[in-house]
Amino acid sequence: MPPAGHAQPTGRKKFDPDAELSGSFGCLTPAFFAHVLGTALVLSPLSWGGAGAVLSGLAACGVFVATIGVSFEKFTPGTTAYRKARRLARFLIWYGLATFAASLAVLCVRDGEGAVWNSVFSVAVSFGGLWVRGSLLGRRRMVAPPLADALTLVLPLLMVLNAVAFMTYPGVTKTAVILTLSALALLVVCMACNRYRTPVLLNLALVIVLLIFLATNNHHRSASALWLTFTGEKQTCRLLVNPHRNTYGYSDDHDYYLCPGEVLSVDRRSVFAPTAPADEVMVRDGTRWTTALLKPSEVKASTAALWFVHLGIIVAMLAVILVIALVRRGRPATA
């Protein structure tokens, strides 16, 4: 029997926000330095983008553990731990966005898988910050409602620019894919936090059509033919006999086209490889903004009719959402 006047142990450990925050920082500190180092390797001109992407991926896992495993929703507003957690959320959001933008900028200039993955992991860091903010303020305030109101209308409009980006060189094409998918994820969060009475089913239909448009935009023939039609700078290329075929006891899998001032090598195994017509003449874009190599008969806007149809559908749906969101705005949603 314990002495009289002493409290009985309850067996339940008291929640300590400072200890929880210290544990979170213990995971986040090495993750942060790993992500900084990984981003530096990806952004540098050295050929270490793969190693940088691996470090960034490990860092993103560290951020996931450090944010999901902490009971931020139990933090009391006004305390020191609560204020530190709010600063942590802001830091993760803005740091992730900064490295995301830097990775996309490098990807536009220098096509590389490291920059692709680093941008994805940077988005994961930002969403870790959004998770912390939502745990502290409530899920409907994961994004501040006034900002969510604006982003719900602006993000889909920005995603339409993906249609133009897909017709440029490969680095920008990959950038458009990542930017669109990231914007879709953020749009879903903003739709849950905004105060507009935009119908959920209409937004769901918008997301589905955008995903379909993302796939059809990557149709090489239609996008390239559309770009070539508008630029009008074409080169006539002729198919050459493969000089290496059967020379060394194996068959080369490439076809070679003689264009003005250069010889193009095309892998016949690629799904985008052109099929040479009977006269063995192909057309290439002289602006070098695309790798288009098409039959002369394919270089016309009607080839990209499917591209135009999907673009029209998205623009129409965005207009409907904009009108409904502005005209049928209701009372602010409660958290």
Side-chain angles (χ1 to χ4, degrees), residues 154-179:
V154 172
L155 280 175
L157 297 174
L158 294 178
M159 283 187 281
V160 176
L161 297 178
N162 178 68
V164 177
F166 252 108
M167 292 184 292
T168 59
Y169 60 95
V172 174
T173 299
K174 292 179 181 179
T175 301
V177 175
I178 297 169
L179 190 59

Side-chain angles (χ1 to χ4, degrees), residues 31 34-35 52-64 121:
H35 195 276
V54 171
L55 285 174
S56 297
L58 294 175
C61 292
V63 172
F64 176 81
F121 296 138

